[in-house]
Structures are given as C-alpha cells and as structure tokens.
Amino acid sequence: MLNNKEKTVQNEEFSGRVSDENLRVLTGYNMKRAFNAVQADLLQTLRPFGLRMITYSALVLIVDNPGLRQSHLSVALAVERPNLVVIIDELERRDLIARERLMSDRRAYGLRATLEGRQLYEKAVRAVTEHETKIFGNMDGVTVKQLIAELREIEIKAKGNVK
Amino acid sequence: MLNNKEKTVQNEEFSGRVSDENLRVLTGYNMKRAFNAVQADLLQTLRPFGLRMITYSALVLIVDNPGLRQSHLSVALAVERPNLVVIIDELERRDLIARERLMSDRRAYGLRATLEGRQLYEKAVRAVTEHETKIFGNMDGVTVKQLIAELREIEIKAKGNVK
DNA sequence: TATTGTTATACTCTATAACTATA
DNA sequence: TATAGTTATAGAGTATAACAATA
C-alpha cells in the first residue's frame, strides 16, 4: 500500500516476542484457536473416508434418523437449506444415502442411508471416536462429560443473547 | 435432484424429534456449535465499532506491540500473510493504524496504532470485556480461568497431533 | 397462501503461487 | 538466494432472494 501518506520515521523497531496477552484472556479467542486445531485434526481423520465435518455430521444424522427430511436436517445441523442441498448431493452421488419422495408430502424427501452409507458410517464413527480420545482423553482436571456440559451451557447462553 | 434413480417407496415417514445424540457426544461438534454462537454475539458487540473478530484482534496486537511487522502479526494471529494485507489495509484506510517503513529493513513495515486507533481500542476492549462477562461469567462449576486453561490445553494437544 | 427443495448469487474466510523490492 | 509485502486466484463456508412443485 504505497500511498502518499507513507512515512519513514526514526522508528524503534519492534523486537522480542509478540504479546497476545490481551487476546489470550478472552475465552472466545481461545475457543477459536482451539477449535481450528481440533478441526484440522478431524479433517485428517476423515480424509480417508472422503468426508468433512459437515458431511460426516449429515451422514450420522441420516443413519440415526432414517426418513428425516432435508428441512429437519438443516435445522438440526444449523445449516441453511440451500447449503444443505449440495451436501446431500455429494452423499447421494457417492451412493451413501438416497432421497426418497414421501408419499405423505410429495414436496419433501425422506433421507435414508444405503448399506454402503451405513458401512462407511461404522468405520468413520470408530475413527472419529479415536480422534476424540486422542485429543480430549486424559485432560488435566476435567472430564470430557464436564467439558461438553460447559460448551453446551456456553452455546445456550450465547444464543439467548443474540437470536 | 430428479434423476433416473429416484424412487418413491412405501416409506414410513420420519416423525418426532431429530436425535443428534451421536454428534452431541463429540467435544469437537459442541465446540463448533458453541463457538458459532459466541462469535455471532461478539460480531454484534463489535458492530458499533466497525470491527470484526479478526480486525479487533489485529488492532489489539498492534496497540500492544507497537512497531511489529506484518509477518510477526500474521504468525501471532495464525493468518496467512496475503490475507493479513487486506485486514491491515482496512485498519489503515480508517486511520486506526499506520504502516511505517523500517529504516533497518526497507522491505518491512512497522505497524503502529494512531491516536484514533488507540481510542477505538479502549472502547472496543471495554465492550468485548462486557460481552465475555455476559457469556462466560457465572458458569456452572467452572471459572473462566479454568475454561481458558482447558482450551489452551486442547489447542496444544490438537496441534501436536497435526502440524 | 405457505412450505420443500432448488437455483443463482454474493460475501467472507482461507490457502497457494508468483511477483516486486529489498536483503 | 532468501525474505517482506503484495497481487491474483481459487476453494470452502455461509447467507438471501426467488422459483417450481406441492400443500
């Protein structure tokens, strides 16, 4: 950005370690940094299965809730309907799930996992469970159960404030 | 996706609440949901100042580390150098910070907040502190200090596994 | 009229390659 | 040769408006 306001002054150059104290005191900042690192590891965990966090999540909910509609799924995953379409497209193209027109409401689809989808689900769930144990097992002074309870409390509290 | 494989079967339609049990047992999934909610609230908090999470973070580090280089900042914020450029552009265009060519190395810039930048910093830090208290104050059975320690432990552990 | 799934689109965030000017 | 900042670009992720089919 060489603009006309540039100046070259008698400057003491910055030296030493960057102080991020005023960011590290923020829970939100630490949540972002921690989640980014966790997600990177999860992505590697899911790569052999051709899945990402969102396609994994969608597959799990479809296997666990056979026949659910895309609209239900989009609410459950907090994904906008238009964005869910391409996710479902991807899973369907790989024959992991199928869209079935509902007789009761021919506007909607019921989503079901195929045998192949359920088999991939089994394998992926095992890998994700190992990934979770690797990262969240043996935490100092807190159990996974407690940690999840804290996160859910935070989610509810933050949502209550915005919405 | 009306393709030739579509079928309309005698399907029991899904009914009842969607079970996301197998996602909610995952710490990573809860981290994502919680962080999304926190970030949405933070965004509202920062809106009056014309800041987002990333521009806020950059401003804080520049105020706290006068003269630091963009390369240092990009490492500290875990943002790629090219992506930091537009962030710095934005803060400079608003005269919140200034790029100063370093005499010691004329390839680099030292970044400094202007008076206006420091004044906005003061106000924004107060607002963010209130936002944090609102969401993370009075948590059940855990202090903010403990929560941050847990998150940093997770970040380090997950990074150690990937990198 | 309203809803389901869809298309089109746009905006943010992120990642990589290649350029320039300096070292 | 290597480094700092930059440009260009491409890929995710996310959000909104509007449409066709159906309710």
Side-chain angles (χ1 to χ4, degrees):
Chain A
M1 278 298 82
L2 298 192
N3 62 38
N4 51 6
K5 276 189 290 182
E6 182 183 347
K7 55 178 176 177
T8 307
V9 296
Q10 186 68 33
N11 36 32
E12 340 105 51
E13 182 175 353
F14 172 82
S15 66
R17 213 50 230 114
V18 178
S19 162
D20 62 353
E21 164 71 14
N22 279 328
L23 295 181
R24 285 297 186 180
V25 294
L26 300 175
T27 311
Y29 184 77
N30 287 286
M31 284 181 76
K32 181 184 175 65
R33 298 290 297 243
F35 174 68
N36 282 351
V38 169
Q39 201 192 24
D41 189 83
L42 178 63
L43 191 62
Q44 279 201 194
T45 300
L46 290 174
R47 183 157 297 141
F49 308 103
L51 295 171
R52 290 160 294 143
M53 189 170 189
I54 187 63
T55 50
Y56 173 81
S57 302
L59 180 60
V60 167
L61 289 196
I62 293 168
V63 169
D64 290 354
N65 301 275
L68 92 169
R69 296 169 175 216
Q70 291 182 205
S71 57
H72 295 150
L73 187 53
S74 77
V75 171
L77 289 176
V79 168
E80 295 299 321
R81 261 69 99 227
N83 299 327
L84 186 63
V85 172
V86 297
I87 293 164
I88 299 302
D89 283 351
E90 184 179 329
L91 294 175
E92 192 184 39
R93 203 177 331 109
R94 293 179 58 192
D95 283 317
L96 299 173
I97 66 157
R99 285 169 163 107
E100 297 175 356
R101 275 287 180 206
L102 295 179
M103 291 171 53
S104 52
D105 184 345
R106 292 188 48 77
R107 294 171 302 182
Y109 290 109
L111 302 175
R112 282 176 205 284
T114 62
L115 174 60
E116 194 181 345
R118 288 191 298 276
Q119 287 170 345
L120 188 71
Y121 164 96
E122 295 291 347
K123 282 184 274 186
V125 165
R126 270 196 292 277
V128 168
T129 302
E130 282 170 29
H131 144 90
E132 285 261 326
T133 301
K134 183 179 67 180
I135 293 180
F136 305 108
N138 298 104
M139 297 266 306
D140 283 351
V142 65
T143 67
V144 172
K145 248 190 162 71
Q146 288 170 329
L147 186 52
I148 289 177
E150 291 161 13
L151 290 167
R152 295 212 61 167
E153 188 185 347
I154 290 167
E155 179 183 343
I156 291 164
K157 226 164 167 185
K159 269 190 188 139
N161 277 307
V162 177
K163 238 320 144 61
Chain B
M1 277 300 81
L2 298 194
N3 60 38
N4 51 5
K5 276 188 291 180
E6 181 180 349
K7 56 178 176 179
T8 307
V9 295
Q10 187 68 32
N11 36 33
E12 338 105 50
E13 183 174 354
F14 171 83
S15 66
R17 212 53 228 114
V18 178
S19 160
D20 61 353
E21 165 71 13
N22 280 328
L23 295 181
R24 284 299 185 179
V25 294
L26 301 175
T27 312
Y29 184 77
N30 287 285
M31 284 181 77
K32 181 183 174 66
R33 299 290 298 241
F35 174 68
N36 282 351
V38 168
Q39 200 191 26
D41 189 85
L42 178 63
L43 191 62
Q44 279 201 194
T45 300
L46 290 174
R47 184 157 295 141
F49 308 104
L51 295 171
R52 290 159 293 142
M53 191 171 188
I54 187 61
T55 49
Y56 173 82
S57 301
L59 179 60
V60 167
L61 290 195
I62 293 168
V63 169
D64 290 354
N65 301 275
L68 92 169
R69 297 170 174 215
Q70 290 183 205
S71 55
H72 296 149
L73 186 53
S74 77
V75 171
L77 290 176
V79 168
E80 295 299 321
R81 261 69 99 228
N83 299 327
L84 186 63
V85 172
V86 297
I87 294 163
I88 299 303
D89 282 352
E90 184 179 328
L91 294 175
E92 191 184 38
R93 203 178 329 109
R94 294 178 59 192
D95 284 318
L96 299 173
I97 65 158
R99 285 171 164 105
E100 297 176 356
R101 275 286 180 206
L102 294 179
M103 290 171 54
S104 53
D105 183 344
R106 292 188 48 76
R107 292 172 304 182
Y109 290 108
L111 302 175
R112 281 175 205 286
T114 62
L115 173 60
E116 195 181 342
R118 288 191 297 276
Q119 287 170 343
L120 188 70
Y121 165 95
E122 295 290 346
K123 282 184 273 185
V125 165
R126 270 196 292 278
V128 169
T129 302
E130 283 171 28
H131 145 90
E132 284 262 326
T133 302
K134 183 180 66 181
I135 293 181
F136 305 107
N138 299 105
M139 298 266 303
D140 284 351
V142 63
T143 65
V144 172
K145 249 191 162 70
Q146 288 169 329
L147 185 53
I148 289 176
E150 291 161 14
L151 291 168
R152 296 212 61 166
E153 187 185 347
I154 290 167
E155 179 183 342
I156 290 165
K157 225 164 167 186
K159 270 192 187 139
N161 277 306
V162 179
K163 237 320 147 55

PDB file of all heavy atoms in Angstrom, chain A residues 123-147:
ATOM      1  N   LYS A 123     -17.320 -47.274  10.119  1.00  0.00           N
ATOM      2  CA  LYS A 123     -15.867 -47.072  10.108  1.00  0.00           C
ATOM      3  C   LYS A 123     -15.502 -45.653  10.536  1.00  0.00           C
ATOM      4  O   LYS A 123     -14.566 -45.441  11.319  1.00  0.00           O
ATOM      5  CB  LYS A 123     -15.308 -47.370   8.700  1.00  0.00           C
ATOM      6  CG  LYS A 123     -15.178 -48.860   8.414  1.00  0.00           C
ATOM      7  CD  LYS A 123     -14.536 -49.117   7.047  1.00  0.00           C
ATOM      8  CE  LYS A 123     -15.579 -49.103   5.949  1.00  0.00           C
ATOM      9  NZ  LYS A 123     -15.048 -49.491   4.622  1.00  0.00           N
ATOM     10  N   ALA A 124     -16.247 -44.679  10.007  1.00  0.00           N
ATOM     11  CA  ALA A 124     -15.930 -43.276  10.300  1.00  0.00           C
ATOM     12  C   ALA A 124     -16.168 -42.964  11.772  1.00  0.00           C
ATOM     13  O   ALA A 124     -15.390 -42.244  12.395  1.00  0.00           O
ATOM     14  CB  ALA A 124     -16.756 -42.353   9.405  1.00  0.00           C
ATOM     15  N   VAL A 125     -17.249 -43.522  12.331  1.00  0.00           N
ATOM     16  CA  VAL A 125     -17.541 -43.283  13.749  1.00  0.00           C
ATOM     17  C   VAL A 125     -16.394 -43.804  14.618  1.00  0.00           C
ATOM     18  O   VAL A 125     -15.970 -43.143  15.571  1.00  0.00           O
ATOM     19  CB  VAL A 125     -18.879 -43.941  14.163  1.00  0.00           C
ATOM     20  CG1 VAL A 125     -19.005 -44.020  15.677  1.00  0.00           C
ATOM     21  CG2 VAL A 125     -20.055 -43.163  13.573  1.00  0.00           C
ATOM     22  N   ARG A 126     -15.891 -44.961  14.268  1.00  0.00           N
ATOM     23  CA  ARG A 126     -14.761 -45.504  15.042  1.00  0.00           C
ATOM     24  C   ARG A 126     -13.549 -44.582  14.961  1.00  0.00           C
ATOM     25  O   ARG A 126     -12.902 -44.291  15.973  1.00  0.00           O
ATOM     26  CB  ARG A 126     -14.385 -46.902  14.534  1.00  0.00           C
ATOM     27  CG  ARG A 126     -15.141 -48.028  15.238  1.00  0.00           C
ATOM     28  CD  ARG A 126     -14.486 -49.389  15.009  1.00  0.00           C
ATOM     29  NE  ARG A 126     -14.607 -49.824  13.618  1.00  0.00           N
ATOM     30  CZ  ARG A 126     -15.692 -50.440  13.121  1.00  0.00           C
ATOM     31  NH1 ARG A 126     -16.735 -50.681  13.908  1.00  0.00           N
ATOM     32  NH2 ARG A 126     -15.737 -50.796  11.861  1.00  0.00           N
ATOM     33  N   ALA A 127     -13.248 -44.107  13.760  1.00  0.00           N
ATOM     34  CA  ALA A 127     -12.085 -43.224  13.588  1.00  0.00           C
ATOM     35  C   ALA A 127     -12.265 -41.912  14.352  1.00  0.00           C
ATOM     36  O   ALA A 127     -11.331 -41.417  14.993  1.00  0.00           O
ATOM     37  CB  ALA A 127     -11.863 -42.937  12.099  1.00  0.00           C
ATOM     38  N   VAL A 128     -13.487 -41.366  14.310  1.00  0.00           N
ATOM     39  CA  VAL A 128     -13.740 -40.098  14.995  1.00  0.00           C
ATOM     40  C   VAL A 128     -13.675 -40.292  16.507  1.00  0.00           C
ATOM     41  O   VAL A 128     -13.183 -39.422  17.233  1.00  0.00           O
ATOM     42  CB  VAL A 128     -15.106 -39.510  14.569  1.00  0.00           C
ATOM     43  CG1 VAL A 128     -15.502 -38.358  15.475  1.00  0.00           C
ATOM     44  CG2 VAL A 128     -15.053 -39.054  13.112  1.00  0.00           C
ATOM     45  N   THR A 129     -14.130 -41.432  16.970  1.00  0.00           N
ATOM     46  CA  THR A 129     -14.055 -41.730  18.405  1.00  0.00           C
ATOM     47  C   THR A 129     -12.594 -41.787  18.865  1.00  0.00           C
ATOM     48  O   THR A 129     -12.241 -41.239  19.917  1.00  0.00           O
ATOM     49  CB  THR A 129     -14.756 -43.071  18.711  1.00  0.00           C
ATOM     50  OG1 THR A 129     -16.114 -42.988  18.269  1.00  0.00           O
ATOM     51  CG2 THR A 129     -14.728 -43.368  20.202  1.00  0.00           C
ATOM     52  N   GLU A 130     -11.758 -42.410  18.040  1.00  0.00           N
ATOM     53  CA  GLU A 130     -10.317 -42.451  18.370  1.00  0.00           C
ATOM     54  C   GLU A 130      -9.714 -41.057  18.370  1.00  0.00           C
ATOM     55  O   GLU A 130      -8.925 -40.714  19.253  1.00  0.00           O
ATOM     56  CB  GLU A 130      -9.571 -43.327  17.349  1.00  0.00           C
ATOM     57  CG  GLU A 130      -9.730 -44.826  17.590  1.00  0.00           C
ATOM     58  CD  GLU A 130      -9.175 -45.651  16.435  1.00  0.00           C
ATOM     59  OE1 GLU A 130      -8.232 -45.168  15.765  1.00  0.00           O
ATOM     60  OE2 GLU A 130      -9.693 -46.759  16.179  1.00  0.00           O
ATOM     61  N   HIS A 131     -10.085 -40.282  17.363  1.00  0.00           N
ATOM     62  CA  HIS A 131      -9.604 -38.887  17.279  1.00  0.00           C
ATOM     63  C   HIS A 131      -9.995 -38.107  18.531  1.00  0.00           C
ATOM     64  O   HIS A 131      -9.175 -37.378  19.110  1.00  0.00           O
ATOM     65  CB  HIS A 131     -10.173 -38.233  16.010  1.00  0.00           C
ATOM     66  CG  HIS A 131     -10.524 -36.786  16.128  1.00  0.00           C
ATOM     67  ND1 HIS A 131      -9.651 -35.761  15.853  1.00  0.00           N
ATOM     68  CD2 HIS A 131     -11.692 -36.183  16.511  1.00  0.00           C
ATOM     69  CE1 HIS A 131     -10.241 -34.596  16.054  1.00  0.00           C
ATOM     70  NE2 HIS A 131     -11.480 -34.820  16.447  1.00  0.00           N
ATOM     71  N   GLU A 132     -11.221 -38.287  18.981  1.00  0.00           N
ATOM     72  CA  GLU A 132     -11.690 -37.572  20.181  1.00  0.00           C
ATOM     73  C   GLU A 132     -10.924 -38.014  21.427  1.00  0.00           C
ATOM     74  O   GLU A 132     -10.548 -37.192  22.258  1.00  0.00           O
ATOM     75  CB  GLU A 132     -13.195 -37.800  20.365  1.00  0.00           C
ATOM     76  CG  GLU A 132     -14.063 -37.009  19.404  1.00  0.00           C
ATOM     77  CD  GLU A 132     -14.617 -35.733  20.043  1.00  0.00           C
ATOM     78  OE1 GLU A 132     -14.896 -35.743  21.255  1.00  0.00           O
ATOM     79  OE2 GLU A 132     -14.773 -34.730  19.320  1.00  0.00           O
ATOM     80  N   THR A 133     -10.713 -39.325  21.535  1.00  0.00           N
ATOM     81  CA  THR A 133      -9.979 -39.839  22.691  1.00  0.00           C
ATOM     82  C   THR A 133      -8.554 -39.302  22.705  1.00  0.00           C
ATOM     83  O   THR A 133      -8.031 -38.887  23.743  1.00  0.00           O
ATOM     84  CB  THR A 133      -9.936 -41.379  22.658  1.00  0.00           C
ATOM     85  OG1 THR A 133     -11.274 -41.868  22.658  1.00  0.00           O
ATOM     86  CG2 THR A 133      -9.195 -41.928  23.877  1.00  0.00           C
ATOM     87  N   LYS A 134      -7.950 -39.272  21.500  1.00  0.00           N
ATOM     88  CA  LYS A 134      -6.571 -38.796  21.367  1.00  0.00           C
ATOM     89  C   LYS A 134      -6.442 -37.354  21.862  1.00  0.00           C
ATOM     90  O   LYS A 134      -5.491 -37.008  22.564  1.00  0.00           O
ATOM     91  CB  LYS A 134      -6.169 -38.887  19.884  1.00  0.00           C
ATOM     92  CG  LYS A 134      -4.749 -38.499  19.574  1.00  0.00           C
ATOM     93  CD  LYS A 134      -4.466 -38.660  18.073  1.00  0.00           C
ATOM     94  CE  LYS A 134      -5.256 -37.669  17.233  1.00  0.00           C
ATOM     95  NZ  LYS A 134      -5.015 -37.793  15.782  1.00  0.00           N
ATOM     96  N   ILE A 135      -7.428 -36.531  21.516  1.00  0.00           N
ATOM     97  CA  ILE A 135      -7.317 -35.104  21.839  1.00  0.00           C
ATOM     98  C   ILE A 135      -7.933 -34.759  23.189  1.00  0.00           C
ATOM     99  O   ILE A 135      -7.394 -33.946  23.932  1.00  0.00           O
ATOM    100  CB  ILE A 135      -7.973 -34.247  20.728  1.00  0.00           C
ATOM    101  CG1 ILE A 135      -7.163 -34.392  19.442  1.00  0.00           C
ATOM    102  CG2 ILE A 135      -8.058 -32.787  21.137  1.00  0.00           C
ATOM    103  CD1 ILE A 135      -7.693 -33.599  18.282  1.00  0.00           C
ATOM    104  N   PHE A 136      -9.058 -35.374  23.515  1.00  0.00           N
ATOM    105  CA  PHE A 136      -9.772 -34.974  24.728  1.00  0.00           C
ATOM    106  C   PHE A 136      -9.648 -35.978  25.860  1.00  0.00           C
ATOM    107  O   PHE A 136     -10.130 -35.722  26.967  1.00  0.00           O
ATOM    108  CB  PHE A 136     -11.246 -34.717  24.403  1.00  0.00           C
ATOM    109  CG  PHE A 136     -11.458 -33.716  23.308  1.00  0.00           C
ATOM    110  CD1 PHE A 136     -11.890 -34.105  22.055  1.00  0.00           C
ATOM    111  CD2 PHE A 136     -11.194 -32.367  23.526  1.00  0.00           C
ATOM    112  CE1 PHE A 136     -12.072 -33.188  21.030  1.00  0.00           C
ATOM    113  CE2 PHE A 136     -11.366 -31.445  22.507  1.00  0.00           C
ATOM    114  CZ  PHE A 136     -11.810 -31.860  21.256  1.00  0.00           C
ATOM    115  N   GLY A 137      -9.030 -37.115  25.592  1.00  0.00           N
ATOM    116  CA  GLY A 137      -8.806 -38.067  26.676  1.00  0.00           C
ATOM    117  C   GLY A 137      -7.701 -37.548  27.579  1.00  0.00           C
ATOM    118  O   GLY A 137      -6.836 -36.801  27.145  1.00  0.00           O
ATOM    119  N   ASN A 138      -7.765 -37.911  28.842  1.00  0.00           N
ATOM    120  CA  ASN A 138      -6.713 -37.514  29.787  1.00  0.00           C
ATOM    121  C   ASN A 138      -6.466 -36.017  29.853  1.00  0.00           C
ATOM    122  O   ASN A 138      -5.324 -35.564  29.844  1.00  0.00           O
ATOM    123  CB  ASN A 138      -5.389 -38.214  29.440  1.00  0.00           C
ATOM    124  CG  ASN A 138      -5.513 -39.720  29.536  1.00  0.00           C
ATOM    125  OD1 ASN A 138      -5.603 -40.408  28.513  1.00  0.00           O
ATOM    126  ND2 ASN A 138      -5.559 -40.235  30.744  1.00  0.00           N
ATOM    127  N   MET A 139      -7.553 -35.230  29.884  1.00  0.00           N
ATOM    128  CA  MET A 139      -7.399 -33.786  30.091  1.00  0.00           C
ATOM    129  C   MET A 139      -7.059 -33.547  31.560  1.00  0.00           C
ATOM    130  O   MET A 139      -7.477 -34.289  32.442  1.00  0.00           O
ATOM    131  CB  MET A 139      -8.713 -33.062  29.777  1.00  0.00           C
ATOM    132  CG  MET A 139      -9.172 -33.181  28.345  1.00  0.00           C
ATOM    133  SD  MET A 139      -8.623 -31.796  27.341  1.00  0.00           S
ATOM    134  CE  MET A 139      -9.246 -30.419  28.291  1.00  0.00           C
ATOM    135  N   ASP A 140      -6.319 -32.466  31.819  1.00  0.00           N
ATOM    136  CA  ASP A 140      -5.978 -32.118  33.197  1.00  0.00           C
ATOM    137  C   ASP A 140      -7.221 -31.632  33.943  1.00  0.00           C
ATOM    138  O   ASP A 140      -7.793 -30.600  33.604  1.00  0.00           O
ATOM    139  CB  ASP A 140      -4.931 -30.986  33.222  1.00  0.00           C
ATOM    140  CG  ASP A 140      -3.545 -31.516  32.886  1.00  0.00           C
ATOM    141  OD1 ASP A 140      -3.395 -32.749  32.808  1.00  0.00           O
ATOM    142  OD2 ASP A 140      -2.636 -30.697  32.707  1.00  0.00           O
ATOM    143  N   GLY A 141      -7.623 -32.357  34.948  1.00  0.00           N
ATOM    144  CA  GLY A 141      -8.638 -31.871  35.882  1.00  0.00           C
ATOM    145  C   GLY A 141     -10.022 -31.649  35.321  1.00  0.00           C
ATOM    146  O   GLY A 141     -10.831 -30.942  35.919  1.00  0.00           O
ATOM    147  N   VAL A 142     -10.352 -32.226  34.174  1.00  0.00           N
ATOM    148  CA  VAL A 142     -11.710 -32.093  33.658  1.00  0.00           C
ATOM    149  C   VAL A 142     -12.045 -33.319  32.805  1.00  0.00           C
ATOM    150  O   VAL A 142     -11.216 -33.811  32.048  1.00  0.00           O
ATOM    151  CB  VAL A 142     -11.889 -30.799  32.826  1.00  0.00           C
ATOM    152  CG1 VAL A 142     -11.044 -30.836  31.574  1.00  0.00           C
ATOM    153  CG2 VAL A 142     -13.350 -30.588  32.454  1.00  0.00           C
ATOM    154  N   THR A 143     -13.255 -33.815  32.970  1.00  0.00           N
ATOM    155  CA  THR A 143     -13.668 -34.950  32.157  1.00  0.00           C
ATOM    156  C   THR A 143     -14.303 -34.440  30.870  1.00  0.00           C
ATOM    157  O   THR A 143     -14.715 -33.285  30.777  1.00  0.00           O
ATOM    158  CB  THR A 143     -14.703 -35.814  32.901  1.00  0.00           C
ATOM    159  OG1 THR A 143     -15.898 -35.057  33.052  1.00  0.00           O
ATOM    160  CG2 THR A 143     -14.186 -36.227  34.269  1.00  0.00           C
ATOM    161  N   VAL A 144     -14.360 -35.320  29.876  1.00  0.00           N
ATOM    162  CA  VAL A 144     -14.992 -34.955  28.616  1.00  0.00           C
ATOM    163  C   VAL A 144     -16.442 -34.557  28.865  1.00  0.00           C
ATOM    164  O   VAL A 144     -16.949 -33.594  28.292  1.00  0.00           O
ATOM    165  CB  VAL A 144     -14.909 -36.120  27.613  1.00  0.00           C
ATOM    166  CG1 VAL A 144     -15.723 -35.828  26.379  1.00  0.00           C
ATOM    167  CG2 VAL A 144     -13.457 -36.393  27.230  1.00  0.00           C
ATOM    168  N   LYS A 145     -17.105 -35.306  29.725  1.00  0.00           N
ATOM    169  CA  LYS A 145     -18.508 -35.019  30.062  1.00  0.00           C
ATOM    170  C   LYS A 145     -18.666 -33.595  30.576  1.00  0.00           C
ATOM    171  O   LYS A 145     -19.565 -32.867  30.159  1.00  0.00           O
ATOM    172  CB  LYS A 145     -18.979 -36.011  31.147  1.00  0.00           C
ATOM    173  CG  LYS A 145     -20.026 -37.014  30.694  1.00  0.00           C
ATOM    174  CD  LYS A 145     -20.595 -37.764  31.907  1.00  0.00           C
ATOM    175  CE  LYS A 145     -21.915 -38.443  31.593  1.00  0.00           C
ATOM    176  NZ  LYS A 145     -21.787 -39.598  30.713  1.00  0.00           N
ATOM    177  N   GLN A 146     -17.774 -33.200  31.497  1.00  0.00           N
ATOM    178  CA  GLN A 146     -17.837 -31.847  32.044  1.00  0.00           C
ATOM    179  C   GLN A 146     -17.590 -30.802  30.967  1.00  0.00           C
ATOM    180  O   GLN A 146     -18.284 -29.787  30.879  1.00  0.00           O
ATOM    181  CB  GLN A 146     -16.790 -31.681  33.160  1.00  0.00           C
ATOM    182  CG  GLN A 146     -17.133 -32.419  34.457  1.00  0.00           C
ATOM    183  CD  GLN A 146     -15.964 -32.433  35.433  1.00  0.00           C
ATOM    184  OE1 GLN A 146     -14.809 -32.442  35.019  1.00  0.00           O
ATOM    185  NE2 GLN A 146     -16.272 -32.447  36.720  1.00  0.00           N
ATOM    186  N   LEU A 147     -16.584 -31.080  30.143  1.00  0.00           N
ATOM    187  CA  LEU A 147     -16.227 -30.144  29.078  1.00  0.00           C
ATOM    188  C   LEU A 147     -17.403 -29.926  28.126  1.00  0.00           C
ATOM    189  O   LEU A 147     -17.744 -28.792  27.762  1.00  0.00           O
ATOM    190  CB  LEU A 147     -15.013 -30.681  28.315  1.00  0.00           C
ATOM    191  CG  LEU A 147     -14.391 -29.797  27.245  1.00  0.00           C
ATOM    192  CD1 LEU A 147     -14.066 -28.407  27.786  1.00  0.00           C
ATOM    193  CD2 LEU A 147     -13.132 -30.463  26.687  1.00  0.00           C
TER     194      LEU A 147
END
